[in-house]
């Protein structure tokens, strides 16, 4: 088997990359460890920056997103049960779109398969070779048979636990990491949203986030300790905790309904530098992780593959290599700003058990400053709706 770009992983990064390359007439094959059903059902992020919406539209997968996505021109911050609105439109003239990662994934898979794009689901034991030279190869097993894919470039879009980053010699990568002393418990429910906008809540009992997927479905998150047991969290306990943390009128008005899914998300900040090693390019969660509080993970994955697709297009159309050479530096400028914002949102809104009470007082002052300062809210809004893409050329 041979192709131009071998892509490992069919999350948002791998799928969007293959779609963008297809539009440039570049061939790619995706190798994915899981089944299509599993990939389409994995519930994760929900907030798309305007730039992400634009890239998906330009990639020809924006139709359903434009119909079903919910455009939000602000968020609510709840501090001890009091709501404060951050008005994105008034502060920075922007908005975000609430549209689940599951739907982005389905739209991309449908588009790829409709155009005869190649996605090998349930590809086992993927290993990558020769990417430090000019004949990279990907080996894998499918239907019990060993196979090899020869390619010009490998895109490592295989998420945080994938094989690509781990295949780079340790000495060639610098790892920056921070693990937080808490996790999120998420629950998707069949219940209409209590509010038109997302509510990010700070409370003495811990952080809570009220989000949504549609006018009939809500997505709830609460801060919990890492490594908890899902069995210890029946629905009623989650609703009670959410109500306590949202407080005020929101708690009284909260519609409830049956749960569809529940899961834990660990909280980690992580960057592997550089994002390119020879003919291997890491993109999305394979290269970096942010805690979900700033809603940046999926958006960063999209920003990476936009840069990579442009670099590969310049290479195949005119033999230019400069955009591929600057891929890592270009991406990392955005990545580190998203790291900063996600760390800041996380630090401001969560309870940190057992730390110096001085830090808790500074945190309360930060929240107090934010809800009373237009300048501070403008900085939040600018980052939340998404910083502009840099020009690479
Ligand atoms: P992924 O979506 O992880 O895709 C990687 C793909 O590679 C997967 O399909 C995987 O099966 C495949 N793969 C892995 N290893 C191999 C292998 N060896 N061989 C072949 N294929 C392989 N972000 C937010 O903004 N808000 C959230 O609420 C939020 N919640 C999250 C909850 C969880 C549990 C996780 C893990 C992430 C969450 N994120 C959230 C982050 C966001 O979902 C990710 O940033 C986004 O999925 C990144 O896309 P990706 O394509 O880079 O990686
Ligand atoms: C959602 C997830 C986030 O991490 C976030 O900051 C906002 C919304 C969500 O899943 O809806």
């Amino acid at each position: 088997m041979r192709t131009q770009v071998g892509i490992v992983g069919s999350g948002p990064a791998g799928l969007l990359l293959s779609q963008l390359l297809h539009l440039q007439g570049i061939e790619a094959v995706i190798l994915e460890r899981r089944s299509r059903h599993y990939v389409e059902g994995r519930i994760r992020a929900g907030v798309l920056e305007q730039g992400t919406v634009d890239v998906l539209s330009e990639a020809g997968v924006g139709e359903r997103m434009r119909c079903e996505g919910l455009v939000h021109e602000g968020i609510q911050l709840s501090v001890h049960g009091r709501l404060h609105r951050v008005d994105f439109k008034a502060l920075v003239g922007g908005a975000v779109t609430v549209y689940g990662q599951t739907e982005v994934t389905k739209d991309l898979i449908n588009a790829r398969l409709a155009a005869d794009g190649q996605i090998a689901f349930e590809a086992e034991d993927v290993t990558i070779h020769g990417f430090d030279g000019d004949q990279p190869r990907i080996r894998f097993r499918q239907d019990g048979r060993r196979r090899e894919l020869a390619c010009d470039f490998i895109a490592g879009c295989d998420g945080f636990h994938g094989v690509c980053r781990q295949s780079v010699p340790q000495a060639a990568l610098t790892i920056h990491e921070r693990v937080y002393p808490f996790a999120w418990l998420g629950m998707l429910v069949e219940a209409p949203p209590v509010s038109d906008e997302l509510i990010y809540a700070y409370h003495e009992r811990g952080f809570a986030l009220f989000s949504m997927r549609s006018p009939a479905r809500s997505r709830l998150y609460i801060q919990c300790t890492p490594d908890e047991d899902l069995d210890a969290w029946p629905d009623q306990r989650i609703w009670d905790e959410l109500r306590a943390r949202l407080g005020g009128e929101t708690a009284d008005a909260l519609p409830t309904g049956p749960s569809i899914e529940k899961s834990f998300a660990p909280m980690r900040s992580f960057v592997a530098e550089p994002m390119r090693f020879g003919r291997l390019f890491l993109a999305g969660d394979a290269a970096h992780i942010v805690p979900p509080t700033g809603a940046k993970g999926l958006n960063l994955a999209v920003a990476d593959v936009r840069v990579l697709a442009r670099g590969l297009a310049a290479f195949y159309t005119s033999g230019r290599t400069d955009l591929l050479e600057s891929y890592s530096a270009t991406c990392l400028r955005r990545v580190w700003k998203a790291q900063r914002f996600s760390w800041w949102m996380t630090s401001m809104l969560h309870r940190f058990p057992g730390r110096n009470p001085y830090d808790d007082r500074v945190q309360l002052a930060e929240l107090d400053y934010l809800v009373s300062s237009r300048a501070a809210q403008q900085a939040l809004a600018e980052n939340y709706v998404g910083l502009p893409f840099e020009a690479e050329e």
Side-chain angles (χ1 to χ4, degrees), residues 10-12 32-34 37-45 101-102 105 261:
S10 75
E32 164 62 48
R33 187 170 56 152
R34 303 283 193 172
H37 179 74
Y38 183 95
V39 169
E40 290 187 343
R42 208 163 30 195
I43 295 166
R44 288 183 174 175
Q101 182 169 332
T102 44
T105 305
E261 188 260 7

Side-chain angles (χ1 to χ4, degrees), residues 204-217:
E204 273 157 26
R205 298 180 68 91
F207 170 76
L209 168 59
F210 183 88
S211 181
M212 64 201 72
R213 286 293 177 273
S214 73
R217 275 193 183 174

Side-chain angles (χ1 to χ4, degrees), residues 223-376:
Q223 173 184 354
C224 59
T225 51
D227 305 321
E228 283 203 48
D229 188 354
L230 260 190
D231 292 339
W233 286 94
D235 292 10
Q236 192 55 47
R237 183 175 173 205
I238 300 175
W239 285 114
D240 290 347
E241 201 53 54
L242 186 75
R243 226 177 259 119
R245 296 182 192 190
L246 291 174
E249 287 164 28
T250 317
D252 297 338
L254 194 68
T256 58
S259 66
I260 305 164
E261 188 260 7
K262 275 189 241 180
S263 55
F264 288 106
M267 303 282 279
R268 187 192 294 270
S269 297
F270 177 96
V271 182
E273 299 184 313
M275 290 169 59
R276 166 183 165 232
F277 184 82
R279 285 178 170 244
L280 169 66
F281 294 84
L282 300 175
D285 279 16
H288 42 72
I289 295 282
V290 284
T293 326
K296 288 285 164 250
L298 169 60
N299 292 295
L300 274 184
V302 167
D304 287 351
V305 299
R306 174 181 171 276
V307 177
L308 184 51
R310 287 176 176 221
L312 290 167
F315 174 82
Y316 282 111
T317 52
S318 56
R320 273 176 67 181
T321 56
D322 56 327
L323 295 183
L324 290 177
E325 276 150 21
S326 58
Y327 167 76
S328 179
T330 303
C331 290
L332 283 168
R333 277 197 294 277
R334 185 178 192 83
V335 166
W336 276 109
K337 281 177 251 177
Q339 288 285 338
R340 186 204 68 81
F341 178 66
S342 305
W343 160 84
W344 175 72
M345 285 282 280
T346 303
S347 306
M348 183 176 61
L349 289 165
H350 289 73
R351 289 285 293 170
F352 287 73
R355 79 171 171 185
N356 185 341
Y358 176 89
D359 294 329
D360 295 335
R361 295 303 300 263
V362 169
Q363 181 180 356
L364 289 175
E366 175 99 47
L367 278 166
D368 195 14
Y369 171 58
L370 175 62
V371 298
S372 58
S373 158
R374 188 176 200 277

